[in-house]
Amino acid sequence: MKRMLLLLTFLISVHLQANVEKGKAVYAANCAICHTVNGGRALGPDFNIVSYTRRKAEIAQYAKDPYSMYKKFGYSANAMPTLPLEDSEFKDVADYISSLQPFKKWMIKKKN
Ligand code: HEC
């Protein structure tokens, strides 16, 4: 039983890793012209900050349909375009964004 659980945990983490890798490619091809990773604000907010402040499901929803989300996220206008990607690509890019950690580590360091 323990072995089965270990195997399952391993398979899930490998699967998630694959999504993160795919999401990184989606980011590079579709988001990087407007969003940085750990690089300060560009046209849209930096994704390290987004990974700290937003949940994965919200990120996927924003990426898919920014117009339906901008008010909820506190913006008074929506300049981000709706991108013609597959649902799986929005999920993968949200996995990638949520996996970004340095900003959290920096926040934790600051507290000490
Ligand atoms: C043409 C520029 C542009 C592109 C391309 C773009 N964005 Fe954005 N994004 C913005 C801007 C500007 C905002 C600020 C709010 C708005 O205008 O809707 C934003 C906001 C966001 C937010 C909300 C951030 C927050 O926490 O407040 C998320 C999440 C997001 N973008 C994800 C993505 C993803 C994922 C991609 C690629 C698949 C992408 N964006 C591509 C310009 C862009």
Side-chain angles (χ1 to χ4, degrees):
M1 187 60 192
K2 248 190 194 164
R3 262 197 212 152
M4 278 296 284
L5 278 178
L6 273 177
L7 183 64
L8 204 63
T9 313
F10 174 73
L11 288 175
I12 289 169
S13 67
V14 167
H15 181 69
L16 200 62
Q17 192 54 42
N19 292 347
V20 166
E21 286 303 314
K22 277 193 229 157
K24 193 174 181 180
V26 174
Y27 162 74
N30 302 284
C31 322
I33 51 163
C34 297
H35 293 272
T36 53
V37 169
N38 217 3
R41 204 187 151 89
L43 188 59
D46 183 88
F47 282 158
N48 268 90
I49 295 166
V50 173
S51 91
Y52 183 72
T53 52
R54 312 291 189 190
R55 283 179 289 119
K56 199 189 282 184
E58 293 178 313
I59 296 170
Q61 183 57 36
Y62 206 106
K64 185 179 171 177
D65 187 6
Y67 187 74
S68 76
M69 294 291 286
Y70 76 95
K71 280 186 187 151
K72 189 180 168 204
F73 271 34
Y75 294 101
S76 53
N78 166 228
M80 175 168 154
T82 302
L83 300 164
L85 301 175
E86 302 291 328
D87 275 3
S88 63
E89 292 175 301
F90 290 124
K91 287 205 179 94
D92 290 344
V93 80
D95 279 336
Y96 168 62
I97 294 168
S98 297
S99 78
L100 300 170
Q101 292 297 322
F103 187 71
K104 283 186 196 178
K105 281 188 190 141
W106 175 79
M107 295 282 291
I108 291 162
K109 247 194 209 159
K110 270 286 246 199
K111 270 192 224 159
N112 298 332

